Amino acid sequence: MRAQRMVPAITLDPRLPSYLKQKTNNTVDHHQQQENFVIEEIEGLIRVYKDGRVERPQIVPCVTAGAADPELGVTSMDIVIDRFTNVSSRFYVPIRRDMNNPMKKLPLLVYFHGGGFCVGSAAWSCYHEFLAKLAAKAGCIIMSVNYRLAPEHPLPAAYEDGLRSLVWLKQEASCERGGEEESNQWWSTQCDFSRIFLVGDSAGANIAHNVSRKLLCSETFLLPLIIKGVILVQPFFGGEDRTSSEKNHDMVQPRRRSVLNLAASDTYWRLALPAGSNRDHPWCNPLANGSCFGSDSVAMMVCISELDILKDREFEFCGAMVRAGKKVETVVYRGVGHAFQVLDKSMLAQTRCQEMITHIKAFVENN
């Protein structure tokens, strides 16, 4: 974690002449002004000060577990998966079962939220509503990971938390097989641990991709867990060279801008990447420096938004994956921008959101 500079408390002696008090106060004010200098900011989302302090205005309300619409028939609960880092996950479990096969176990989606690695939470109301709906409609259990954020915890902290969540899940699966009481019975008895899907949107999709690359290098490491697929929703990638959609986005879509613009994208990467790195770091640009994708045969679906600043980069990524022999399904959502499924409440966006849920359900069922 980046160190924060501590400002010592200053007490003025009441016996000092008034002009000396004023001079001392001026010195303190100047010092505080220097410490309060903002060095990075994305308006309304995050502000980073020179002294290391970070402010994140609560632009999206947080909700407690169990607050999903009861009509969906989904229950949720927060579970701490690492007490040392305080990383937790919010689980969503459908209450209503398949009446034709009530004993059938459900696939598990390990989900990573978006926010440029710097903002966002599994408790944000927009994610809570979307994932509860996804769990109900797709008939799956969802484990939404609340990973650590940059710049206090720059990459690879989020990747480490993703890996740690899968190791914790492996332990739960082993407990379930052995019938040990430590297992979280309320969800694990309903879970098919042989059907795990890594899913994320924006920065969360970047996490899902990098975690899957790490895990799939060893097919036996996670047993009895089996990863059946990876779903990347508007994956947050970057690079030093600008793509056409990055350069022309504001000019082509002046009235209907995506929630992600080029300036915000660059700021997120400056805050998230290790010191001294540029946007061609392989965590940011998976196509830089001849990066390869391994030899695994796990299926992948990439969801791309037509008005997203990242769309060209995502198409390039999909093309490289196909050339590497990967099984990649690409879905494009017309007329909507980045993160529409959680942040856009328009009728068109809600329609596209339902389409996305249908596509995810089909992908899970077919793999």
Side-chain angles (χ1 to χ4, degrees), residues 42 72 79 90 140 186 234 241 246 281 287 323 325 360:
I42 301 176
L72 291 174
I79 299 176
R90 178 164 294 186
C140 57
W186 74 280
Q234 307 138 352
D241 294 335
E246 289 172 339
H281 190 290
L287 305 184
R323 290 191 295 273
I360 293 175

Side-chain angles (χ1 to χ4, degrees), residues 9-277:
I10 298 177
T11 303
L12 299 182
D13 190 329
R15 295 170 297 179
L16 286 175
S18 59
Y19 72 91
L20 286 180
K21 289 183 184 179
Q22 181 65 42
K23 182 177 179 180
T24 306
N25 278 329
N26 288 339
T27 303
V28 174
D29 289 344
H30 176 72
H31 178 72
Q32 289 177 339
Q33 288 175 2
Q34 289 295 316
E35 293 302 305
N36 291 335
F37 183 72
V38 176
I39 58 174
E40 294 282 7
E41 181 176 13
I42 301 176
E43 187 176 359
L45 288 170
I46 187 169
R47 184 180 295 116
V48 181
Y49 292 91
K50 182 180 179 181
D51 66 357
R53 289 181 298 115
V54 179
E55 291 179 356
R56 295 180 178 88
Q58 194 170 341
I59 191 171
V60 178
C62 291
V63 295
T64 58
D69 185 343
E71 293 183 2
L72 291 174
V74 174
T75 184
S76 61
M77 180 180 292
D78 293 331
I79 299 176
V80 176
I81 62 177
D82 190 313
R83 297 190 181 281
F84 180 75
T85 60
N86 203 34
V87 172
S88 63
S89 287
R90 178 164 294 186
F91 281 80
Y92 299 86
V93 182
I95 299 172
R96 300 168 187 164
R97 306 301 300 274
D98 184 350
M99 298 305 296
N100 296 324
N101 190 1
M103 300 305 293
K104 180 182 178 181
K105 294 196 173 186
L106 305 177
L108 173 66
L109 275 56
V110 180
Y111 196 95
F112 302 99
H113 67 77
F117 303 103
C118 298
V119 298
S121 169
W124 269 14
S125 60
C126 56
Y127 278 108
H128 188 75
E129 294 165 7
F130 173 67
L131 294 180
K133 189 181 301 181
L134 178 61
K137 303 295 184 182
C140 57
I141 296 172
I142 297 178
M143 174 185 179
S144 179
V145 181
N146 209 33
Y147 54 87
R148 291 171 293 171
L149 299 176
E152 302 95 324
H153 305 283
L155 294 175
Y159 303 146
E160 293 168 350
D161 294 344
L163 290 169
R164 190 174 292 112
S165 67
L166 269 295
V167 171
W168 179 88
L169 198 60
K170 172 183 177 177
Q171 295 170 342
E172 289 299 306
S174 299
C175 289
E176 176 62 28
R177 279 193 168 190
E180 299 181 23
E181 293 183 359
E182 289 81 359
S183 178
N184 289 285
Q185 297 289 329
W186 74 280
W187 67 268
S188 63
T189 55
Q190 304 177 52
C191 182
D192 183 352
F193 289 103
S194 67
R195 298 187 65 209
I196 305 295
F197 295 81
L198 301 185
V199 193
D201 71 283
S202 193
N206 180 298
I207 296 171
H209 168 66
N210 281 285
V211 169
S212 68
R213 287 191 62 192
K214 183 74 172 179
L215 292 175
L216 295 173
C217 291
S218 175
E219 295 182 358
T220 60
F221 173 72
L222 280 180
L223 289 177
L225 303 184
I226 299 177
I227 297 177
K228 301 295 288 186
V230 179
I231 303 173
L232 308 182
V233 179
Q234 307 138 352
F236 185 45
F237 296 133
E240 286 297 304
D241 294 335
R242 303 299 192 188
T243 66
S244 178
S245 62
E246 289 172 339
K247 290 185 292 187
N248 301 325
H249 182 268
D250 289 344
M251 179 175 63
V252 175
Q253 294 292 339
R255 295 182 181 178
R256 206 170 167 188
R257 298 179 180 177
S258 176
V259 296
L260 181 68
N261 57 43
L262 194 58
S265 174
D266 288 352
T267 302
Y268 282 136
W269 283 118
R270 285 195 299 272
L271 294 174
L273 286 171
S277 302

Side-chain angles (χ1 to χ4, degrees), residues 197 231 299-301 329 359-367:
F197 295 81
I231 303 173
M300 175 178 288
M301 181 169 75
E329 177 182 343
H359 292 147
I360 293 175
K361 177 181 179 181
F363 180 84
V364 171
E365 290 176 345
N366 293 332
N367 291 282

Side-chain angles (χ1 to χ4, degrees), residues 293-360:
F293 299 107
S295 58
D296 64 90
S297 58
V298 170
M300 175 178 288
M301 181 169 75
V302 180
C303 301
I304 301 173
S305 297
E306 182 186 22
L307 305 184
D308 192 351
I309 187 177
L310 301 175
K311 70 173 183 178
D312 286 354
R313 201 170 290 282
E314 293 162 351
F315 278 123
E316 290 176 0
F317 171 80
C318 292
M321 295 288 282
V322 171
R323 290 191 295 273
K326 301 289 185 179
K327 178 184 176 183
V328 182
E329 177 182 343
T330 304
V331 185
V332 179
Y333 298 92
R334 304 293 180 187
V336 287
H338 193 80
F340 73 88
Q341 72 283 357
V342 290
L343 296 179
D344 190 341
K345 298 300 183 182
S346 69
M347 290 294 293
L348 176 60
Q350 294 304 302
T351 299
R352 296 290 182 261
C353 181
Q354 291 298 326
E355 293 172 359
M356 178 180 288
I357 290 175
T358 300
H359 292 147
I360 293 175

